[in-house]
Amino acid sequence: EDQVTQSPEALRLQEGESSSLNCSYTVSGLRGLFWYRQDPGKGPEFLFTLYSAGEEKEKERLKATLTKKESFLHITAPKPEDSATYLCAVWDNYGQNFVFGPGTRLSVLP
Amino acid sequence: EAGVAQSPRYKIIEKRQSVAFWCNPISGHATLYWYQQILGQGPKLLIQFQNNGVVDDSQLPKDRFSAERLKGVDSTLKIQPAKLEDSAVYLCASSFRSGVGELFFGEGSRLTVL
């Protein structure tokens, strides 16, 4: 059974304090790994897709990386507006199951 | 391009009552998903449609939940009778087709069962 775990469960950072969020997965062949951002009261908003180990994607202060077992979302010099829950999800190799992790709640304090 | 539309945004009902949620996916998206998100957890798939056929409903509590997607476009998710543990946000998402690309989500429908 496909499984996705995320750590830490919650993270509080000071503005400008860089850190990383982790997503570990167990799937029957990875077709794609996705990162989403979810603000309170909103649906998840797509950030990145990663397809193969070694791949990296960047967007503003966010950078996502992928290995064979896990993905990291690096946040450089975060701002309060980066506060949100960050979800990762995977497509398995059969392309049938899009499975989410529990998310990391990020709070960036001014 | 219009996003995924959902209604109602909020619903409060008593236990044992029924409720229905509606979703209109992005135009041209063949695959539609209903997810349940309990507070503090990640979304959990309830049912996946490809056009108007069901691809996966293995986690749908079929004794109380039902869903349909008429004509391969709009979809309705119904809960009857509701239980306290059904309190959650019901998210609808769509994608161009199953197994390809990202999912696009609506704002969700928040259900409170008293």
Side-chain angles (χ1 to χ4, degrees):
Chain A
E1 183 180 320
D2 300 340
Q3 287 191 336
V4 181
T5 59
Q6 292 186 246
S7 62
E9 184 176 320
L11 181 63
R12 296 181 73 177
L13 299 174
Q14 289 296 131
E15 185 172 1
E17 180 187 1
S18 301
S19 189
S20 297
L21 313 182
N22 175 265
C23 170
S24 296
Y25 60 89
T26 304
V27 296
S28 52
L30 180 70
R31 181 174 286 201
L33 184 141
F34 301 78
W35 282 98
Y36 283 81
R37 169 188 172 130
Q38 187 173 27
D39 292 301
K42 304 281 189 180
E45 176 187 345
F46 171 73
L47 293 172
F48 303 109
T49 310
L50 301 167
Y51 292 104
S52 56
E55 189 174 359
E56 298 181 353
K57 293 273 181 74
E58 282 189 71
K59 179 180 179 180
E60 296 180 359
R61 296 175 292 282
L62 300 177
K63 178 180 174 181
T65 61
L66 181 65
T67 72
K68 289 187 177 180
K69 297 283 189 186
E70 57 192 352
S71 177
F72 292 93
L73 184 65
H74 307 279
I75 304 175
T76 302
K79 298 182 177 182
E81 53 261 44
D82 295 322
S83 297
T85 295
Y86 290 85
L87 297 162
C88 77
V90 297
W91 272 122
D92 67 13
N93 218 22
Y94 298 101
Q96 298 288 353
N97 298 309
F98 195 88
V99 179
F100 278 90
T104 293
R105 292 191 313 277
L106 174 67
S107 299
V108 182
L109 307 176
Chain B
E1 178 182 90
V4 176
Q6 289 189 246
S7 68
R9 287 295 317 276
Y10 305 94
K11 189 76 177 178
I12 300 174
I13 61 173
E14 301 275 339
K15 60 183 178 183
R16 291 188 289 275
Q17 286 186 326
S18 63
V19 63
F21 302 113
W22 172 83
C23 172
N24 181 247
I26 292 173
S27 177
H29 280 193
T31 313
L32 185 147
Y33 313 77
W34 282 101
Y35 281 85
Q36 180 192 58
Q37 187 174 28
I38 293 172
L39 187 65
Q41 299 181 18
K44 183 186 89 171
L45 180 68
L46 292 175
I47 189 166
Q48 177 183 340
F49 293 94
Q50 179 75 16
N51 296 310
N52 59 350
V54 175
V55 173
D56 182 0
D57 63 357
S58 57
Q59 298 191 81
L60 187 74
K62 298 181 186 63
D63 57 334
R64 298 182 299 105
F65 286 64
S66 65
E68 61 182 6
R69 188 182 185 196
L70 300 176
K71 300 181 181 178
V73 183
D74 293 7
S75 177
T76 303
L77 176 71
K78 295 180 181 178
I79 307 174
Q80 182 180 15
K83 291 186 175 182
L84 297 177
E85 58 260 38
D86 298 332
S87 293
V89 175
Y90 292 87
L91 294 164
C92 178
S94 69
S95 65
F96 181 66
R97 61 184 171 96
S98 181
V100 177
E102 67 270 25
L103 273 58
F104 295 85
F105 284 83
E107 300 272 80
S109 295
R110 180 178 296 278
L111 173 66
T112 301
V113 182
L114 302 176

